[in-house]
Amino acid sequence: MDSRRPTVTVEQAVPALPGVRFREPVEWRLCEGEQWAVVGPNGSGKTLLADLLQGRYLLREGAVRFHLEGKTADPVRSIAFRDIHSLVDSRNAYYQQRWHATETEDWPSVGQLLASSGGEPADNEDLYTQFRIRESLSKKLIHLSSGEFRKFLILRTLLSRPRLLVLDNPFIGLDAASRRLLAQLLQQMAQLKPPLQVVLLLSDPSDIPEMITRVLPVCGRRCLAPQTREAFLSDTTLQTHLFPAADAPVHLPDGEEKPVAHRITFRMERVSIRYGRRTILKDLSWEVKNGEKWALCGPNGSGKTLLLSLIYADHPQSYAQTLYLFDRRRGTGESIWDIKQRIGYVSPEMHLYYMENIPALDIVCSGFHDSTGLFRKCTDVQKQRAAAWMQLFGIDSLQDRPFLTLSSGEQRLALLARAFVKNPDLLILDEPLHGLDVANKRRATRIIDAFCAGRGKTLIYVTHYPDELPVCVDRRFELPPTTAEN
């Protein structure tokens, strides 16, 4: 019998709402000194389990009990991908808004939000330094890159000194240095008095840090037997069960249009972008020819997403710079929709602000019109093509599910399918595997490689995980860190 004192017990818990129930009552015991990872594929129930811990569901049966000493008014804190919407009024926010200075004046700065998070000022200053976020303190929240925003959320929560911290895929979106730093910080926080207990929700076993002592595998809304970290990582049979290989041949849906001939997909000449004293891009020149496959690299906050927004015409300064797209100089009579029609695009920012709660099939169909919702009727042929892409990405069973009821990984697969439906000449994939489980990463990468093998397909791919690059990528463009001038 386990003699360690429990900190949290989930006792035969069954939520009242049928739609959020597991296949059997949930039984889970967290004890002192344990650090947990809940590991499973997309849509397996990891987030539902975290919601149970936080008391977000009324229970029909069972209970969730805390056995924590001292003051525990708010013992559980969590961090999830969409938490920006809990910090600001985002009902009218849209992902291009971050580039419009006049529309972001009322958004709080990083420093303002961190200062209100609690903790002793001296301790906070130490964490600012450790987490390398000091240069971002004056930034508006909406101007943070995806990786910077994750660092901010994690640091803000750590400053409140919770007893139990639930982190949903905390390492995605962070560059290698920030991932190492986060693992070190969590290890240090676990050694404080009172200690911090961590529950990580992970879709990839390779993301399990050394600080984790226990693993709860989850599959098909069923909790499997808990294991030690070492036992789980050595159990290849279990991992194959959780993340089965997807090695079937990739058969792409027929393209609606043939690629348009051009020599230069895009070229930018001496592009410079500044925000206040911060220079994001300085005298940047880059040329990408038809059919080339590039990796766009750089640390968090170096301007990768900003650069892509110039190409995609989301940034207002894209017409104030020297840019060529498909052999045509920007600003010579083309409309924004002419530009977007030949580009397939997905990014963490687009995902973050995609708040349309319409059926997933309509989300994919919106890619034909480059809209953040389906405002124009699609033809039957277009609907069939959208359904075929959903089937290719393994989400055809989700066609009628409202988008916001899907897991974060399922949403990402729908947005990926959306990027491909119009058979674009240029594919811009900014951290496309963000939040996907191991099997879906393999599936998506094979689809990308198969698509890019077609004639006249150009690819720009952003990732902080070099081992996730598709085989077709054979070129690299590196952005340096941003600078601040006195």
Side-chain angles (χ1 to χ4, degrees), residues 47 56 78-84 86 149-150 153 166-169 201 352 408:
T47 301
R56 291 181 176 174
S78 68
I79 301 174
F81 178 58
R82 289 187 176 274
D83 277 351
I84 190 172
S86 67
F149 178 65
R150 279 190 169 271
L153 282 177
V166 181
L167 295 172
D168 187 354
N169 283 307
L201 311 183
L352 186 63
S408 180

Coordinates of all heavy atoms in Angstrom, one line a residue, residues 47 56 78-84 86 149-150 153 166-169 201 352 408:
T47 N -7.4 17.2 -21.7 CA -8.0 18.5 -21.2 C -9.2 18.2 -20.4 O -9.4 19.0 -19.4 CB -8.3 19.4 -22.4 OG1 -7.2 19.6 -23.2 CG2 -8.9 20.7 -22.0
R56 N -14.2 22.3 -13.0 CA -15.0 23.0 -14.0 C -16.3 22.3 -14.4 O -17.1 22.8 -15.2 CB -14.1 23.2 -15.3 CG -13.0 24.2 -15.0 CD -12.2 24.4 -16.3 NE -11.2 25.4 -16.0 CZ -10.2 25.7 -16.9 NH1 -10.1 25.1 -18.1 NH2 -9.3 26.7 -16.6
S78 N -4.0 26.8 -14.1 CA -3.7 26.1 -15.4 C -3.3 27.1 -16.4 O -3.6 28.3 -16.3 CB -4.9 25.3 -15.8 OG -6.0 26.2 -16.2
I79 N -2.6 26.6 -17.4 CA -2.2 27.4 -18.6 C -2.5 26.6 -19.8 O -2.1 25.5 -20.0 CB -0.7 27.7 -18.5 CG1 -0.4 28.5 -17.3 CG2 -0.3 28.5 -19.8 CD1 1.1 28.8 -17.1
A80 N -3.3 27.2 -20.7 CA -3.7 26.5 -21.9 C -3.4 27.5 -23.1 O -3.2 28.7 -22.9 CB -5.1 26.1 -21.9
F81 N -3.5 27.0 -24.3 CA -3.1 27.7 -25.5 C -3.9 29.0 -25.7 O -3.4 30.0 -26.1 CB -3.3 26.8 -26.7 CG -3.0 27.4 -28.0 CD1 -1.8 28.0 -28.3 CD2 -4.0 27.5 -29.0 CE1 -1.5 28.6 -29.5 CE2 -3.7 28.1 -30.3 CZ -2.4 28.6 -30.5
R82 N -5.2 28.9 -25.4 CA -6.1 30.1 -25.6 C -6.2 31.0 -24.5 O -7.2 31.8 -24.4 CB -7.5 29.6 -26.1 CG -7.5 28.9 -27.4 CD -9.0 28.6 -27.9 NE -9.0 28.1 -29.2 CZ -9.1 28.9 -30.3 NH1 -9.1 30.2 -30.2 NH2 -9.2 28.3 -31.5
D83 N -5.3 31.0 -23.5 CA -5.5 31.8 -22.3 C -5.4 33.3 -22.5 O -5.7 34.1 -21.6 CB -4.5 31.4 -21.2 CG -4.9 30.2 -20.5 OD1 -6.1 29.8 -20.6 OD2 -4.2 29.6 -19.7
I84 N -5.0 33.7 -23.7 CA -5.0 35.2 -24.0 C -6.4 35.7 -23.9 O -6.6 36.9 -23.5 CB -4.4 35.5 -25.4 CG1 -4.2 37.0 -25.5 CG2 -5.3 34.9 -26.5 CD1 -3.4 37.4 -26.8
S86 N -8.6 35.1 -21.7 CA -9.0 35.3 -20.3 C -8.3 36.6 -19.8 O -8.6 37.0 -18.7 CB -8.6 34.1 -19.4 OG -7.2 34.0 -19.4
F149 N 4.6 34.7 -25.9 CA 3.3 34.7 -25.2 C 3.2 33.5 -24.2 O 2.8 33.6 -23.1 CB 2.1 34.6 -26.1 CG 0.8 34.6 -25.4 CD1 0.4 35.6 -24.6 CD2 0.0 33.5 -25.6 CE1 -0.9 35.6 -24.0 CE2 -1.2 33.4 -24.9 CZ -1.7 34.5 -24.1
R150 N 3.7 32.3 -24.7 CA 3.7 31.1 -23.8 C 4.7 31.4 -22.6 O 4.3 31.0 -21.5 CB 4.2 29.9 -24.6 CG 3.0 29.3 -25.4 CD 3.4 28.0 -26.0 NE 2.2 27.3 -26.5 CZ 1.4 26.5 -25.8 NH1 1.7 26.3 -24.6 NH2 0.4 26.0 -26.4
L153 N 2.8 33.6 -20.2 CA 1.7 32.9 -19.4 C 2.3 32.1 -18.3 O 1.8 32.0 -17.2 CB 0.9 32.0 -20.4 CG -0.1 32.7 -21.2 CD1 -0.8 31.7 -22.2 CD2 -1.2 33.4 -20.4
V166 N -1.2 23.1 -13.8 CA -1.6 22.3 -14.9 C -1.1 23.0 -16.2 O -1.6 24.1 -16.4 CB -3.1 21.9 -15.0 CG1 -3.4 21.1 -16.2 CG2 -3.5 21.3 -13.7
L167 N -0.2 22.4 -16.9 CA 0.3 23.1 -18.1 C 0.0 22.2 -19.4 O 0.3 21.0 -19.4 CB 1.8 23.2 -18.0 CG 2.4 24.1 -16.9 CD1 3.9 24.0 -16.8 CD2 2.0 25.5 -17.2
D168 N -0.7 22.8 -20.3 CA -1.2 22.1 -21.5 C -0.1 22.3 -22.6 O 0.1 23.4 -23.1 CB -2.5 22.7 -22.0 CG -3.1 21.9 -23.1 OD1 -2.4 21.0 -23.7 OD2 -4.2 22.2 -23.5
N169 N 0.6 21.2 -22.9 CA 1.7 21.3 -23.9 C 2.6 22.5 -23.8 O 2.7 23.4 -24.7 CB 1.1 21.2 -25.3 CG 0.7 19.8 -25.7 OD1 1.4 18.9 -25.6 ND2 -0.6 19.7 -26.1
L201 N 0.2 18.2 -19.6 CA -0.6 17.5 -20.6 C 0.2 17.5 -21.8 O 0.5 18.6 -22.4 CB -1.9 18.3 -20.8 CG -2.8 18.7 -19.6 CD1 -4.1 19.3 -20.0 CD2 -3.0 17.5 -18.7
L352 N -5.0 30.9 -32.7 CA -5.4 31.6 -31.4 C -6.6 32.5 -31.6 O -7.5 32.5 -30.7 CB -4.2 32.4 -30.9 CG -4.3 33.1 -29.6 CD1 -4.4 32.0 -28.5 CD2 -3.1 34.0 -29.3
S408 N -7.5 21.2 -29.0 CA -6.5 22.1 -29.7 C -5.9 21.4 -30.8 O -5.7 22.0 -31.9 CB -5.5 22.6 -28.7 OG -4.6 23.5 -29.3

